[in-house]
Amino acid sequence: MSIEGTIFRIKKYALHDGPGIRTTVFLKGCPLACRWCHNPEGIDPEPQTMLRDTAHGTVPETVGQRIGVAELIRVIEKDQLFYDESGGGVTFSGGEPLAQPDFLEALLLACNRREIHATLDTSGFAPAAVVRRILPRVQRVLCDLKIMDAVDHRRVTGVGNTPILENLSLMAASGVPLRLRVPLIPKMTDSDANLTAIARFAVTLKTIEGIDILPFHRIGEQKYRRLGRENPMAGQLPPAAERVAAVQAMFETAGFHVGIGG
Ligand code: SF4
């Protein structure tokens, strides 16, 4: 029987989740609870009810579905022509894809057999054994690095950062191309001290191809209301363009190729 897992979205023709044209699959369930999360429907590992806004008011709908590897691979491989022509492939994102290791590994094995380029988009928070198991199956990793101070990290994400830092070193040692994703969140990740510490750590990662700055945005804030949850970032504005440019310049001066958003 095909291994099953839980996903909450499939995004076709994605352009910002790795090279080329991609299909991004969002696996449901995340061990973190970042205050700025713009996919809060991806945190609970189980399917859940979320309200949907319609012209006639709100209606409940289920977010999240169980799906077998074979069925999901059929969806992914439909666009193989686009992947081949654009240098794209599939990206497994979340939630936290490493939180469903058997499902993820089976998906990756199927992609490997079909020579579909696979990118892992992860928070980096997972047991090292899972990371070691998954790394040989992926061709690229996008990994978040949010906060270097362990206490601050726990305060705003709910977990410590030791496994993330250790896993980033594992990823770099594996030789897989790596991009670091740094969310720029006012009053949380966005301080000179934190960003300088991130740059200092990043230079130790030998396979790093660049850093993507992900400025806080308010897209998705309605999801909190639709889930019946309080939005911890209500009223928070995105960082100013000048601040984003200054952070970009800081990382570039440290020697990195820097992207914004994605
Ligand atoms: S790691 Fe990503 S998906 Fe998980 S809570 Fe944080 S922002 Fe949301």
Side-chain angles (χ1 to χ4, degrees), residues 30 32-34 36-39 42-43 94-96 123 144 146:
C30 182
L32 281 69
C34 306
W36 58 86
C37 183
H38 54 258
N39 284 330
I43 294 178
E96 173 48 66
S123 69
D144 292 358
K146 302 168 171 81

Side-chain angles (χ1 to χ4, degrees), residues 8 28-46 48-51 63 95 156-158 220-235:
F8 65 99
K28 197 160 168 17
C30 182
L32 281 69
C34 306
R35 290 198 194 167
W36 58 86
C37 183
H38 54 258
N39 284 330
E41 77 279 31
I43 294 178
D44 188 326
E46 300 299 329
Q48 65 194 125
T49 301
M50 190 173 178
L51 296 176
V63 179
V156 297
T157 71
E221 67 179 4
Q222 293 300 326
K223 290 179 180 176
Y224 283 88
R225 172 185 56 78
R226 292 168 52 209
L227 283 167
R229 282 185 50 186
E230 191 187 333
N231 178 3
M233 301 295 283

Side-chain angles (χ1 to χ4, degrees), residues 85-254:
E85 289 193 352
S86 67
V90 62
T91 297
F92 295 106
S93 182
E96 173 48 66
L98 294 172
Q100 298 184 62
D102 295 340
F103 180 51
L104 179 62
E105 185 179 42
L107 288 166
L108 288 168
L109 281 167
C111 290
N112 295 166
R113 278 198 292 272
R114 289 161 177 78
E115 297 188 358
I116 296 174
H117 180 283
T119 292
L120 173 70
D121 179 11
T122 175
S123 69
F125 190 87
V130 168
V131 175
R132 280 202 190 88
R133 196 172 133 195
I134 295 300
L135 274 178
R137 305 277 167 223
V138 297
Q139 285 71 55
R140 175 175 290 249
V141 176
L142 312 173
C143 186
D144 292 358
L145 183 51
K146 302 168 171 81
I147 298 178
M148 290 300 289
D149 182 271
V151 175
D152 286 347
H153 193 283
R154 185 178 292 280
R155 185 170 50 79
V156 297
T157 71
V159 302
N161 61 0
T162 304
I164 296 170
L165 299 176
E166 290 177 356
N167 285 334
L168 274 166
S169 298
L170 258 182
M171 291 169 193
S174 77
V176 179
L178 171 69
R179 281 195 82 86
L180 214 53
R181 318 265 270 181
V182 179
L184 193 65
I185 314 298
K187 300 184 220 129
M188 295 189 185
T189 70
D190 183 6
S191 71
D192 288 343
N194 181 48
L195 298 166
T196 309
I198 286 177
R200 270 202 301 272
F201 178 76
V203 294
T204 69
L205 304 170
K206 296 298 173 219
T207 55
I208 189 165
E209 288 193 336
I211 295 179
D212 294 320
I213 301 168
L214 310 179
F216 173 74
H217 60 71
R218 299 176 69 175
I219 301 164
E221 67 179 4
Q222 293 300 326
K223 290 179 180 176
Y224 283 88
R225 172 185 56 78
R226 292 168 52 209
L227 283 167
R229 282 185 50 186
E230 191 187 333
N231 178 3
M233 301 295 283
Q236 176 64 56
L237 297 175
E242 297 76 29
R243 176 59 184 164
V244 177
V247 174
Q248 177 177 13
M250 187 278 289
F251 282 136
E252 284 174 346
T253 304

